[in-house]
Every structure is written in C-alpha cells, then in structure tokens.
Amino acid sequence: MGGDRSLSPEVVYDDEELPARRLAGRVGLAVSIVAFAVAVLVLVQVFRPLARGSQYYLIIFLAGTLPLVFLAYKFRLSSRERPTTPDWILSGTAVLVGLYPLNPFTGGYDAFLDRQGLLDPIDVVFGAIMLVLVVEACRRTTGWALPVVCLAFLGYAYYGGLLPQSWPIAHAGLDFAQIVDALYNSGSGFYGTPLDVAATYIVLFTIYGAVLDLSGASRFFVDLSVAAFRRSRSAAGRTAVAAGFLLGTVSGSGTATAVSVGAVTWPMLRRAGYPAEQAGGMLAAAGVGAILSPPTLGAAAFIVAEYLDVSYLTVLGWATIPTILYYLGILLAVEIDVRRFRVRSLDTPPVSTLRLLARFGYHFSSLVLIVVLLALGESATRAVVYATLLAFLLSFLDRSSRLTPGRVFEALSAGVRGVLPVVAVCAAAGIITATTTKTGLGAQLASLLVRGAQALFTDPTAVLATTVVLAAVALALLGLAVPVTASFIIGWVIIGPALLALGVPAPAAAMFVFYYSVLSEVTPPTALAAVGASAITGGRTIPTMWQTLKYALPAFLAPIAFVLTPAGSYLLARGSALEVTWATAVAMLAVAALAVATGGWILGLGRAGTAPRVLAALSGLFLLYLSPTAITAGIALFAAAIIWTFAQRRRSSPTADPSPAPSADPRADSSSGSSSEPRTEPSSEPRVQPRSESSVVSSVEPSAEPSAEPLSGPFGEPAGEPASEASVATPTSPSGRPVQPSTSSSPARPSAGHPAPAGPSAAHPTPAGPADAAPGETGSPPSAPLPSPPSSSSNERG
C-alpha cells in the first residue's frame, strides 16, 4: 500500500500486561517456533477437535503457552532482556507440571480424572507447583494486584471455616488437598471457562488481528479516516476517533489502539491546536471504544457468550446501540472542543476517499465475512478462521503487503505471543471461580449487597437503584486493581447474582458488568489507556485521565439505563423495532445533553454557563431513566438549558448599528471582541507531498506545538472562552461580502471606544469561521497556509 511502510511484523501485546521482552536471535526463534506450533494446534482444534474432550485440549494448550510467559516476560522490569537461568528453570517446570495430568506412568489422563476428589500426594505436589507458576505468570504480566486478589480468595477458602458460623460468608472450610483438587482436577479451576474462552475464541481473534495488520489494513484504516475528513475544521479530531474505531476491529485492545492511533494522529492534532491533555483524552477514549465495538469486542465479551450460553453474534447485537451512543458522545465532544479551543483546519493532500476505497477497500471484506457467517449460523471460531484465510488471500492484491510463508509464520507466532497475558489472567481467574463455587461466596456477597440496599430503602425501585449504584462503584474500584477480563469474572460471580435476584434480565446484568469492567481502562487513577495516550502526546497524566473521563461519560451512564427499567433492555436491541427506535432516540438526546454539561457549549448557540450546564446534566440523567415521566422532565430541562443559553447570548450581543460605516482597517473592528478577524500569514511549516495515495498520514508532519491555553476546571475548560459562536464569526462588509484579511504589516489602529489589544496576540488574531461551520464546509475558501497559533492572551479575552 505504499513503499514507505514498514513491513516488519511486530507483536502487539494486550493492554492488560506489563512490558515484555524483545526476544531476538536463537531464543526469539525458539519462542516463535513454539508459539507457531500452538497456533497450528488451535487451528486444527477448530476443524478436528481432540477426541479426549475440551479439558484435554486445555491441558495441552496451557502446557504450551505458560512456559512462554516466563521467557517473554521479565521477573522484574529491571531484569535483563535475555531470559535468565531461573526463567529457563520455571519454563521447563511449567512444561512438566502442565503435562503431568497426561503422564502415562501414573495411568494417563483417564486415571487422573478418576482420582478427582481423592488426589494422590504426588498429584497435590504437582498441583501446588502449578498454582505457584500460575500466580507468578499473572504477576509478571499484570503486576501484583490480581495475584494478591487470588491469594486473598485462597486464604478465604482455607481459613473460612474458622470464621464465626453466624457470619453470612462463613463456610465449613477446605483443606489444602481439596483446594488443589478444585484448581487442578476440575472444570472450574485452571481449566475452567475463562481459559477455555482464551484458548478458543480469543487466540483465534488475536491471530486474525495479526494477519489483518500485516496485510496492510491498519494503515489503510488510518489513511481512510484522514481522507474522509480532510476538508473539515474538525478533521483532526474526527480522524482520531474514526481511526480508533477502525483499528479496534484489528486489535480489540484499548491501550494498544490508543497508542497506535496516537502515534499517527498526534502530529495532526498538535498542528490543529489541540492541547496535549485534550488530545490524549480523545485518543484514550477512542482506543477504549475498541473493546466496546463490534465485530471484535474485548476478551470479556466471549466470556459473556459462554456464561449466558448464547452465540457471539447475539452479544454483538447487544453491543451495537451502546457503541453508537459511545461514539456519538465522543464526536459531540470533538465538535464542541473545535469551537472551545478554536481548532484550525489543516492542509492535507487531496487524496480521494473513493480512490482509496476502490484500491484498498477489500480490507473490509474479512470483517464483513465474520458478521455474515455468524448470521448464517456458523460458529464464531470457524467464522474467524475463514476471515483470516480471506485476509491472507487478499494480501496478494498489494505487492508490498503480501503474506509470504515467512510472514505467515510471523503472524501466527505473533498472534499466540499476543495472547499470553490473557492466558495468564484467565488461568489465575480460575482460582477465583473455583473458590466461589466451592464456598458459595458469590451468592453470599450478592445477598449482602441486596440486603444493604434494602436496609436503606423499602421501595423496590429505590432498592434496585441503590444496588446498581453500589455495584457500579464496586466494579469501578475492582477495575482499578485487576485487568478487564478478571474484573468481569469477579464481578459476574458476585454482582451478577445480586442483579438477577432483583429481577434484572440476564443479558442486561451481564452487559452492565461487562461495560463497567471495560471502563476501568479510563477510570482514574489507573486508566491504562490514558497513561498510554499521555506518553504519546507528552501531556500530564492525571489531567489526561480527566479528559478521557469526559469523553467516555456516556459509557458510564448508559449501562445503568440497561438495568433500571424494563425499557433499558431496548438499548440492547431486545424488543420490537419501534421500541428499540424510540429508546435509542431518547438515549441519543441524553448523550447530547451530557455533552453540553461536560463541554460547556451548545452547538449553534455558543458557550453555556454554569446554570445551563447543570440543567443539561440533570436532563441527561432523567432521559436515561427511560420512563415517560422522566423523559418528559428531561426534555423540559434540556429545552430550558437551550433557552437560557440563547437568552444569555442575546443579552451579551452588542446592539448593531443598522447602517454601519465600513472600517478603514478591518483589523480595527476585530479588536473589539465581538468578532475575530483571521489574518492569513505564510505558514512556516513545509508542505510535504504524499509518497503514495494510501500514505495520507505520512504527509502530515509535526510542527512546533501551539501555545495552547492552560486547562482549568473539572473537564479542562480554558481560562477564558468565547462568549458565543457568533462572537468569532467572520466580519462582513455592508454588502454582505466577507472582509478579506489585510496584508499590511502596520499595527491596527484602535476604533472608537475599542482600544487595540495589547500583547503578541494582537498581531495574530485567532482564525475562526461562521458559527457552527468549519472552513471548507460552508463554501468559504479552504484554509490557506496555517496562521500562527493563538496565544494565551488572545484566548483569555474570549
């Protein structure tokens, strides 16, 4: 797709992990060969399953992947890049312990299963070693949080019998052999549903993403986003959001998508005038959308399908409308920020979107094939294998991206290496699920949650609302410590039963837990996606997290709508066409109200004051309740916010003279603050021509970072904002023609009653277009070379 592309395959690791080693030489080749062998086993299992059953396959899969964790991940971050002697010892031990259940000297696999509940001492020893290895692998890939949680569950299983039996969470107690038996020789421990999902669905989608990436799809998706929005003042922001959505279909990883998109689009965002924290928040929110967006949702979505015993296509259907609401909120925030930060349009190469689609649009074919095959009743595993094969064949349409045998080897091995942290997390999650199953802890904690809400209220609606809020807080806090997949598993076994006990439908309860588990990626103070984005933009980490939270706010509130009212299920596409349509329309209006509340701007009117923002926030909350009374109140509150802002704008607008005399110097009028006249100056930035029609982004070079306003306020409002969009409109002559900017270098003379502004910003007024329109979208001339960045003094006057 262009000669300038780097064709070297790169392993894209999951966003739940710590940095991995960059293996090279013979060690790297050995790891790649083992990973390739595991990939072949996974593909064969799809069409020719092993005769001994699923658990037999999982034993072999874990024995092949767990040793790789100790070679690919360091004991600590300061360790050397090459595996050490202890790493090799742990890796070899993992092979022996992993294959022990198949040991023919102790009777083989069948004899091992027969000893379930009555393990031999040697079985307990090997099971204990496996427990230590799984916890250590989890620590290496995710840090200490999840291992500590696993150890806490193990401690509860062993010492729970010592608790007073009057306590709801007390149980009879388990000895060490019983704990090892539940973990090592049952379907609810290491080889339970979480690992089953990782070894079937997740690894296949990871391989598919690696093949799609090496075939040139990632670069095409970014190029297409740039070409589609190049004429808009919102082009840079829209490109970042669209690229995040498209790249999410390849990676399914929030942080990886945010970093990948940021590396390409941050130079564009910087040239357009976005502050670093604002751009980082946008990139992180767009990246997290990758885990929420069909057709390749995050790993937890496959576990949803397994737990509820539904098809993956059904889960995709449930996620469609929430995805639309999520990206609607981001796009509205982008449009508001364009006006708040006076973002400039960019000069981009005139590449035709239609030409890009005609030449490289075949990259969408494999994505479409997955949905079509699922709709025809094909299993998700076979559908993704067929899509991978199609992506492989289509790669030969582009000479620079052909998947030769060597690159196929790299793609398959990279796909397995990319799933290693998920394997470690899912195996460790088996400790939690086995403990809750053996002790009944999940049902007891769910009962405590419901009883706590009932102690505060007696009304069933209030009890449900309180339980939902407590559950949301618990999931948010849980997500701060453990990865998304483990957060969903823990949340489902504890919070899921509480919601089901209150009459919430299982799909709504599962998607509620799923969304709040995913949103831990953007929840301060961890917010891994925001951390990755801030590393790209160079912005401050904590302010970037708050900006991300602003963009992702609809995703925090929409899941609550799933469970509060019966109509909430309509947002999961569970209802008639009419019911789904009106619920979606109301939810979209709620998202718009929340965008006004967080952005402080009403499109078409201008800046919203504190009171209208409060009204808009209340409106969004009422609208998401999805009952007739709440919807009526929400619409009334939103209308009040709009009317209030309109009235403020009318009061703040100066009375115009019916016959104004044209100013001798147009810039004299621009100093009044009622209008801002752009001054076009030759840009100091070189205009780089594209090397090929598909490498649009490569021609957008970074430049000096604009002097952006300092962010203040809870969601990064500038210190001074324009009073309204009308206040930055282009001045016109009495005949109605736009006044052309003066090319004179002499300073502007003050007009009557309006002293000339002081400071450097007087020489470089902020460019702006008509209200609610970007240059190039309203018939005005496209932006010439970019003007100088606005200074802080100009923005403070607003």
Side-chain angles (χ1 to χ4, degrees), residues 142-543:
T142 66
W144 276 104
L146 183 56
V148 168
V149 173
C150 292
L151 293 176
F153 273 83
L154 288 173
Y156 168 75
Y158 190 77
Y159 293 106
L162 302 179
L163 296 174
Q165 292 301 305
S166 59
W167 289 17
I169 60 173
H171 61 88
L174 301 173
D175 60 29
F176 188 71
Q178 290 175 309
I179 295 174
V180 171
D181 178 73
L183 298 176
Y184 196 43
N185 196 2
S186 74
S188 62
F190 300 136
Y191 309 111
T193 300
L195 183 64
D196 188 18
V197 171
T200 52
Y201 300 102
I202 299 175
V203 67
L204 288 173
F205 274 87
T206 306
I207 292 173
Y208 166 66
V211 171
L212 198 61
D213 180 55
L214 288 179
S215 67
S218 296
R219 174 63 66 172
F220 163 69
F221 290 153
V222 176
D223 290 349
L224 181 64
S225 301
V226 175
F229 301 119
R230 68 180 187 275
R231 297 181 182 274
S232 169
R233 187 155 53 111
S234 310
R238 294 178 184 175
T239 297
V241 175
F245 172 76
L246 293 174
L247 285 182
T249 61
V250 178
S251 70
S253 167
T255 303
T257 303
V259 172
S260 300
V261 174
V264 177
T265 60
W266 165 233
M268 298 171 52
L269 296 169
R270 182 172 57 185
R271 289 184 62 192
Y274 280 95
E277 291 82 5
Q278 198 78 16
M282 181 194 308
L283 293 170
V288 170
I291 315 178
L292 305 174
S293 305
T296 52
L297 298 169
F302 299 100
I303 301 178
V304 171
E306 285 295 309
Y307 279 170
L308 299 186
D309 195 22
V310 297
S311 68
Y312 181 61
L313 180 63
T314 301
V315 178
L316 293 183
W318 295 342
T320 299
I321 295 176
T323 299
I324 294 173
L325 297 177
Y326 181 77
Y327 279 99
L328 173 65
I330 295 180
L331 290 174
L332 287 175
V334 167
E335 296 300 323
I336 288 174
D337 287 345
V338 164
R339 289 145 178 87
R340 287 173 53 202
F341 295 101
R342 300 167 183 172
V343 172
R344 303 184 299 270
S345 58
L346 295 176
D347 289 329
T348 57
V351 177
S352 169
T353 304
L354 295 179
R355 289 183 62 187
L356 275 176
L357 286 172
R359 177 66 182 87
F360 302 110
Y362 58 81
H363 287 298
F364 288 111
S365 302
S366 58
L367 296 171
V368 174
L369 181 64
I370 291 176
V371 178
V372 171
L373 291 177
L374 290 175
L376 294 177
E378 194 66 75
S379 66
T381 53
R382 292 199 175 196
V384 71
V385 171
Y386 292 141
T388 304
L389 179 61
L390 178 61
F392 163 73
L393 296 175
L394 292 177
S395 70
F396 289 91
L397 296 178
D398 184 7
R399 179 176 301 178
S400 63
S401 300
R402 292 176 180 174
L403 291 178
T404 59
R407 301 185 74 212
V408 170
F409 171 82
E410 293 290 347
L412 293 179
S413 60
V416 172
R417 289 182 61 187
V419 84
L420 291 181
V422 180
V423 171
V425 168
C426 289
I431 300 173
I432 299 169
T433 56
T435 301
T436 54
T437 300
K438 282 285 188 179
T439 63
L441 178 63
Q444 295 298 332
L445 290 179
S447 177
L448 282 177
L449 184 62
V450 174
R451 287 207 298 267
Q454 290 173 340
L456 298 175
F457 303 98
T458 57
D459 181 72
T461 302
V463 171
L464 175 60
T466 305
T467 303
V468 168
V469 171
L470 293 176
V473 173
L475 287 169
L477 294 176
L478 180 64
L480 299 179
V482 301
V484 171
T485 304
S487 178
F488 173 80
I489 295 171
I490 300 171
W492 180 247
V493 299
I494 295 175
I495 294 173
L499 297 177
L500 296 176
L502 294 174
V504 176
M511 295 305 287
F512 172 86
V513 177
F514 168 71
Y515 274 94
Y516 270 95
S517 301
V518 169
L519 291 173
S520 63
E521 293 288 305
V522 294
T523 303
T526 53
L528 296 179
V531 173
S534 65
I536 294 294
T537 64
R540 294 168 297 168
T541 302
I542 297 300

Side-chain angles (χ1 to χ4, degrees), residues 114-133:
D114 292 338
R115 295 194 297 272
Q116 185 174 1
L118 296 171
L119 295 181
D120 292 339
I122 187 64
D123 298 334
V124 176
V125 171
F126 273 87
I129 296 174
M130 174 64 85
L131 173 61
V132 173
L133 292 175

Side-chain angles (χ1 to χ4, degrees), residues 660-662 732-737:
T732 58
S733 66
S735 61
R737 293 178 176 272

Side-chain angles (χ1 to χ4, degrees), residues 23-49:
L23 299 175
R26 288 180 295 180
V27 175
L29 179 61
V31 170
S32 296
I33 291 174
V34 175
F36 177 79
V38 173
V40 172
L41 170 66
V42 171
L43 294 173
V44 171
Q45 177 70 10
V46 174
F47 298 97
R48 297 287 298 272

